[in-house]
Structure formats: structure tokens, C-alpha cells
Amino acid sequence: MKSYLAAAIQMTSIPDVQSNLATAEEFIDLAVNQGAQLVGLPENFAFMGEESDKLSQSDNIALETEKFLKTMAQRYQIAILGGGFPVPTDSGKVYNTALLIDSSGQELSRYRKVHLFDVNVPDGNTYRESSTVMAGTELPQVCSTEKLGCIGLSVCYDVRFPELYRYLSHQGADILFVPAAFTAFTGKDHWQVLLQARAIENTCYVIAPAQTGINYARRQTHGHAMIIDPWGSILADAGEKPGVAIAEINPSRLEQVRRQMPSLQHRVFV
């Protein structure tokens, strides 16, 4: 693997698939024109709306999203992560699915979100992701690529569960994806510090695409899509408006940090 540019896209997705995909394509084009070879889209990038609406439209959302990701990858000759979209199951619920596609349009990795966001947030909002989403039951697998390094997937609320990322680093991950739709209330206190912790403790790059702004009704997301290096330094931050965070993924930096701080080699309980 040689150095390359990665992009974490930040969107304000709404309950309109075609509008969201058109916006996503604009940001993908912007990222590619700046040299990005690996592009990540946030959780719910294709549809951000009421859980019941997501469920009723899940067949169409899944079909259009997978077609879109493969088309974008081939058209722009990039690897692309769709950071979370509903895929129907026989149970009547959906899997919140992250999908990594290579530049030829082939699937590299698929992960079904394990940790579901069932939380009463202190701002008065209640979230019950499990009302429509079935939890995945398998740990994400590390995808090893010659050009982009070893990539591990996760989705949003997963970031609060360090054992998942420890597993990925133990499997050889160099890059951890954390696409999210973090709430504005929790994000202001926890988003950045959690991402930095996952990068530092695993000496990995973290790429975190994000939702931002008011998506629908009272649903407001935090923003600040980021790329963080293995030392925990923030290389790029998209702020609070839709946009793109772009930074270099440098294998020499990865080796340097792991040499200077060989904590992965010092683990006692694995």
C-alpha cells in the first residue's frame, strides 16, 4: 500500500432517496476531483426519515442504493463505502448494512450493524432503532486490499463498544470506518473523543463520514465528519455544514506510530 487520499462525506440526508443520491454524487465528484481514492458516505445517506417510512420503503432503498454505489465506484474508479442503509429481511425488519465496493463495482465487504441505538437521550428524544432494525450477529471482517490497506467496518453507535474495534485491530486493520448519524446532543460531548480513542487505542486511521443538521422533524445530527490518524490527531474535520473531509492515509505514519507506541504488542488479555 502506498499513500493515498481518503474522503469522509458529510450530508444532511432527508426522506427522499433520489434527492439524497443526487447530493451524494455531487460530493463524490468533489472528493474525486481533489484526488480521493477511497470515499465514505455516512449512515442513512440514501434515506433519513421516520423509522416506519424507512421500513415501508426498504426494498426500493436497498435496490437503488446498491446500484448507486456500484455505479459510482465504476464511474469514478474509486473504492466507496455506503455507510448504512436498510436491507430487508424475512422477519419484516431490516439490517442496517454498510457496504464497501471496489473500483470495479465488486463487493469487498458487508457488515450488518450489531449495536442498535435504543436510547432515551437527555434532550427529550427517544430512539428505538430495534423497532425496525434487526441486529447483526457477526463481527465485521477485515478487508485486506493491496492498494488501500486493511479496512474494518462499523456503524455509528458501534463506536461506544471498544471490543469491536479491538477485534478489528487484532485481525490486522489499518483503517477503521465509523460512518454515523450521531445525534446533535450526544455528538457535542462524545463524537470526537470516542473517535480519537478508537484511533489511539488501536493505532489505526479512523474515517468517520457523518450526517449533519436537521434531517427531518426533530431529528438533528452533529456533523463533524472526520479523518483521524493513528496518534489521534485530527487530519480533517468537515465542520457543521454538508461537505467533504479529505486527508492522506500514509502507511509510513502508521508504521511510525506503531513503532513508537507498540501498545498492540503489549496486550495481555486478547
Side-chain angles (χ1 to χ4, degrees), residues 46-184:
F47 184 91
M48 187 84 171
E50 299 290 350
E51 290 294 304
S52 58
D53 294 334
K54 181 180 72 176
L55 193 64
S56 66
Q57 298 179 45
S58 61
D59 285 301
N60 179 62
I61 297 170
L63 182 66
E64 292 297 319
T65 299
E66 290 206 29
K67 182 172 68 175
F68 172 81
L69 291 172
K70 292 175 180 178
T71 298
M72 292 297 101
Q74 291 175 312
R75 178 179 299 168
Y76 289 102
Q77 288 296 288
I78 55 169
I80 187 167
L81 174 82
F85 60 96
V87 175
T89 73
D90 294 335
S91 72
K93 293 185 177 183
V94 298
Y95 283 120
N96 188 342
T97 304
L99 185 60
L100 182 63
I101 303 292
D102 72 10
S103 59
S104 66
Q106 298 300 305
E107 182 176 319
L108 288 175
S109 184
R110 180 181 293 253
Y111 166 64
R112 294 166 171 170
K113 186 180 180 184
V114 170
H115 302 102
L116 302 184
F117 193 57
D118 289 358
V119 177
N120 298 318
V121 179
D123 66 355
N125 285 314
T126 295
Y127 302 91
R128 290 288 178 268
E129 189 176 13
S130 65
S131 67
T132 57
V133 178
M134 178 176 288
T137 57
E138 298 180 356
L139 284 161
Q141 299 304 303
V142 172
C143 175
S144 180
T145 71
E146 182 179 350
K147 293 184 177 180
L148 303 174
C150 297
I151 301 170
L153 306 185
S154 66
V155 177
C156 198
Y157 190 48
D158 284 333
V159 77
R160 294 182 182 273
F161 301 87
E163 62 273 15
L164 185 148
Y165 301 91
R166 183 59 94 205
Y167 171 82
L168 289 172
S169 69
H170 188 56
Q171 298 300 311
D174 303 316
I175 298 149
L176 305 171
F177 260 117
V178 191
F182 234 71
T183 70

